Amino acid sequence: MGMTITEKILAAHAGRDRVEPGEIVMVDVDVVLANELSAALAIDEFKKIEGATRIRDPEGAVFVPDHFTPNKDITTAKLVQRVREFALEQNARWFEVGRAGIEHCVLPQNGIVGPGQVIIGGDSHTTTYGALGAFSTGVGSTDVAVAWAIGQTWLRVPPTVKVTYHGRLRPWVTGKDLILYTIGQLTVDGATYMAMEFHGDALAELPMAGRFTMANMSIEAGAKNGIFHPDDITREYLGSVGHNRYTEFRSDPDAAYERDVEIDAGTIEPQIAFPAIPENTRPVTEAGTVEIDQVVIGTCTNGWIEDMREAAHVLRGHHVDPRVRCIVVPGSQEVQRQMVKEGLMEIFLDSDCIVSTSTCGPCIGGHMGVLGEYEKCVSTTNRNFVGRMGARTAEIYLANPAVAAASAVSGRIAHPDEVASPVAAG
Amino acid sequence: MEKLRGRVWKYGPNINTDVIIPGRYCHITDPKELARYCMADLDTEFIKKIKPGDIVVAGGNFGCGSSREVAPLSIKASGIGGVVAPSFARIFYRNAINIGFPIFESAAAYEQIDEGDEVEIDPDTGTIHDLTKGTEYKAAAFPEFLQTIMSRGGLRGYAEEELARQSAS
């Protein structure tokens, strides 16, 4: 019996020839990520571990404060100070305001993550790096602390659900729509404890941005990790960020899967997830009339330059509806720089959007765009749970950047066709 | 481990970490303060009505969403003795084990136990006894490795032994 890509990566990091789904293994960890929230608790825990004084592999320990940064208030400023002191004292990798952005964009762009690695992070969307063919998963702070101390973590080898997308994507359809549709099909616990392995000819030309989005949101189906096989698009991306030494793993043709899901991607329309659970998806054309108060475009799920281009393409020559606030959140300093170069910044400003610093703020109801009572928001973020972006009575609708931009212009949930013509395929 | 005994508070499926401890409180690290906001966006009365030792019984995929360890920490600090659910979201599951907070997987218990019932749970055997109804349920057994972690009060004990072993060799 063959093995899946996930099983092969875990076996290689457990010093084993093979591993079986369900067994618990201790694996070597290549990268341990923490943001200021998960790091703060992890540091407390690390200091309690008898015998632990130094991070075993400081080069693989990455810190990106991004949730409440630039510091929201004195409390969060003190929290970040504490994390900064620890990271610098440990000679770990520290990415702060001005040289950073949102963790899940920062790590790939700095060439830190790549195929074949085991990556854990104190953030559930650490699944993002599976887009590069890595095993990558979110963990809690105690896991982070222990991985700093011993360089290993415990993992239950997940069974794999194989999701295959057939056909040619329709205009405006992106990785976001594919993953929203898939979560709608599988439900939010359809892949709990499992790996989601993405396949199919519909993904062959999907840019890295779309793959990052899909892996990012695999957690919203409950998955432990989402994973793609590296191909030429992956290799070109890795070359562009200077990540040149890596091992590619591939699933064997006779690997065993827990479940096979076949999706006719050619029939999928742009999707929208209604409140208050990401599985509550439907085509945008079936949304009905939903007037909105705010739009958020960007963050770790859709904060890549490709996402910014799509949103700007729709917004060009239009104005955001006067009753709507449209907040654009590039994923990183790098993305923002590219936006300036390509003239996207001007398009956003001319169409009455605000371009925010890179932060998780609005997505977690932290700062920089918190929703008030009964407000409705179309957002390219990843979760539409009750209270996620602010008041408990606020409603969040998840969509791709073009849908979000069209909705901002229309003042209600809108299909991009209502505002612009699609760009040529690709 | 000591037996747990208390009154049941019951909730539905897919209780996510955002309603257990909303993002606006996630910068808090002091357990006592975290407890004040436990279940803030699920049940505003929660922290007022529970008593130490009470048990939460909820639907499947409990704790889905964020990796925030403050979610199980806030429940633990609130005084709740343990959570029973048909399944747990995987990060919540490992966080609970890592911090030594008792969780029990049982679909039958969720279906049959009602809010207000008095239950007793033996963590060593996974037996959930509904004293009000006189019924008994068996939670899924934890893999041996996880039992080892739990018997040491969490993952820290494992790490300490590992470090000691390495420095000795």
Side-chain angles (χ1 to χ4, degrees):
Chain A
M1 181 61 78
M3 288 198 291
T4 66
I5 178 170
T6 295
E7 289 156 12
K8 285 186 184 181
I9 295 172
L10 294 181
H13 286 74
R16 301 255 300 268
D17 291 333
R18 62 177 301 125
V19 293
E20 304 289 342
E23 69 173 313
I24 291 175
V25 289
M26 289 301 294
V27 295
D28 295 332
V29 178
D30 298 302
V31 177
V32 183
L33 164 69
N35 58 49
E36 77 271 33
L37 300 181
S38 54
L41 266 184
I43 292 165
D44 292 346
E45 190 65 20
F46 183 80
K47 290 182 173 167
K48 287 186 215 155
I49 301 173
E50 210 175 302
T53 50
R54 307 295 304 175
I55 293 179
R56 174 167 294 230
D57 174 22
E59 189 61 21
V62 185
F63 293 78
V64 188
D66 57 2
H67 278 55
F68 287 96
T69 55
N71 302 324
K72 168 181 175 270
D73 52 21
I74 295 170
T75 311
T76 53
K78 283 158 81 175
L79 187 93
V80 174
Q81 266 177 321
R82 194 151 71 80
V83 177
R84 182 189 300 113
E85 276 167 27
F86 178 81
L88 297 180
E89 170 200 303
Q90 292 284 341
N91 293 319
R93 301 189 71 169
W94 171 252
F95 291 91
E96 200 172 8
V97 174
R99 290 165 294 279
I102 301 172
E103 50 197 336
H104 305 311
C105 298
V106 170
L107 267 65
Q109 287 178 338
N110 284 277
I112 294 168
V113 288
Q117 289 178 334
V118 168
I119 304 150
I120 62 169
D123 189 277
S124 61
H125 294 107
T126 303
T127 52
T128 306
Y129 321 125
L132 296 167
F135 175 88
S136 192
T137 194
V139 296
S141 295
T142 299
D143 282 311
V144 166
V146 168
W148 286 341
I150 67 173
Q152 291 190 316
T153 198
W154 67 268
L155 290 169
R156 179 151 62 168
V157 179
T160 297
V161 52
K162 181 180 184 181
V163 191
T164 310
Y165 300 88
H166 303 281
R168 191 174 170 77
L169 302 186
R170 295 165 76 157
W172 304 114
V173 171
T174 64
K176 183 61 166 285
D177 304 291
L178 297 181
I179 193 66
L180 283 176
Y181 181 85
T182 308
I183 295 162
Q185 297 290 304
L186 291 177
T187 77
V188 293
D189 65 347
T192 297
Y193 302 139
M194 295 184 210
M196 273 173 96
E197 194 178 300
F198 300 110
H199 288 265
D201 56 296
L203 306 182
E205 289 171 27
L206 194 69
M208 277 317 304
R211 299 179 190 193
F212 283 128
T213 305
M214 291 179 73
N216 176 284
M217 285 193 71
S218 57
I219 171 79
E220 307 321 330
K224 180 173 221 142
N225 64 310
I227 195 161
F228 285 74
H229 283 86
D231 62 8
D232 286 343
I233 290 174
T234 326
R235 291 174 205 118
E236 190 191 328
Y237 180 82
L238 290 163
S240 75
V241 296
H243 188 101
N244 296 312
R245 288 179 53 206
Y246 51 86
T247 311
E248 291 183 16
F249 290 87
R250 312 200 76 77
S251 292
D252 293 320
D254 61 342
Y257 293 96
E258 176 80 13
R259 190 175 164 194
D260 261 302
V261 178
E262 307 274 338
I263 291 176
D264 182 0
T267 62
I268 295 176
E269 293 179 42
Q271 300 286 304
I272 189 146
F274 270 49
I277 190 164
E279 72 186 38
N280 199 5
T281 56
R282 66 190 74 173
V284 172
T285 50
E286 292 172 20
T289 306
V290 180
E291 292 188 350
I292 58 171
D293 304 284
Q294 182 168 302
V295 167
V296 173
I297 299 172
T299 77
C300 75
T301 310
N302 277 117
W304 301 91
I305 188 65
E306 290 87 342
D307 299 311
M308 298 296 126
R309 287 179 193 139
E310 275 163 28
H313 172 78
V314 173
L315 286 161
R316 185 196 297 268
H318 296 283
H319 288 281
V320 171
D321 185 282
R323 292 162 302 167
V324 174
R325 295 124 24 204
C326 184
I327 303 168
V328 178
V329 189
S332 67
Q333 183 91 349
E334 190 67 32
V335 171
Q336 194 154 141
R337 185 178 295 118
Q338 190 63 24
M339 285 164 65
V340 173
K341 276 188 196 158
E342 296 184 16
L344 307 186
M345 200 64 113
E346 206 174 341
I347 296 173
F348 287 124
L349 295 177
D350 286 350
S351 58
D352 301 338
C353 299
I354 186 174
V355 179
S356 151
T357 176
S358 302
T359 176
C360 310
C363 176
I364 56 156
H367 64 147
M368 302 288 284
V370 176
L371 296 175
E373 298 286 352
Y374 300 102
E375 287 196 322
K376 292 184 168 67
C377 177
V378 173
S379 181
T380 69
T381 52
N382 41 46
R383 290 192 177 128
N384 56 357
F385 297 146
V386 169
R388 171 80 179 179
M389 294 177 73
R392 282 185 73 194
T393 52
E395 292 184 355
I396 305 160
Y397 299 78
L398 305 177
N400 78 26
V403 171
S407 303
V409 171
S410 307
R412 57 178 168 74
I413 293 175
H415 192 289
D417 276 339
E418 295 181 45
V419 178
S421 301
V423 274
Chain B
M1 285 172 79
E2 240 175 87
K3 282 186 182 171
L4 313 171
R5 183 168 171 169
R7 182 194 161 120
V8 166
W9 301 98
K10 200 164 175 186
Y11 298 96
N14 300 316
I15 301 301
N16 67 72
T17 54
D18 274 284
V19 297
I20 295 172
I21 187 85
R24 57 187 180 277
Y25 304 123
C26 280
H27 58 281
I28 300 169
T29 53
D30 174 30
K32 280 201 199 88
E33 204 186 340
L34 282 170
R36 285 171 51 199
Y37 306 111
C38 184
M39 306 291 194
D41 280 358
L42 176 69
D43 179 352
T44 48
E45 299 300 304
F46 183 81
I47 204 67
K48 291 179 217 155
K49 67 191 187 188
I50 61 161
K51 290 195 175 62
D54 281 358
I55 305 290
V56 167
V57 176
N61 201 28
F62 186 88
C64 61
S66 160
S67 68
R68 56 188 73 161
E69 196 162 304
V70 286
L73 270 179
S74 75
I75 303 177
K76 188 180 183 184
S78 76
I80 287 290
V83 179
V84 179
S87 66
F88 292 85
R90 57 160 291 273
I91 306 178
F92 187 94
Y93 179 95
R94 63 186 296 134
N95 282 343
I97 288 165
N98 288 344
I99 67 166
F101 178 66
I103 55 173
F104 305 92
E105 285 182 322
S106 169
Y110 169 63
E111 279 161 27
Q112 290 165 35
I113 295 176
D114 291 309
E115 177 149 312
D117 286 2
E118 188 77 10
V119 298
E120 188 178 76
I121 305 176
D122 182 346
D124 294 328
T125 61
T127 308
I128 303 160
H129 195 176
D130 186 330
L131 302 168
T132 307
K133 291 193 172 64
T135 50
E136 210 173 87
Y137 312 92
K138 189 88 177 161
F142 286 102
E144 201 182 319
F145 178 76
L146 301 190
Q147 287 183 28
T148 311
I149 292 177
M150 286 186 286
S151 69
R152 288 169 194 162
L155 188 61
R156 196 199 312 157
Y158 174 87
E160 287 170 349
E161 278 180 23
E162 185 62 22
L163 287 171
R165 194 184 60 77
Q166 287 171 6
S167 69
S169 66

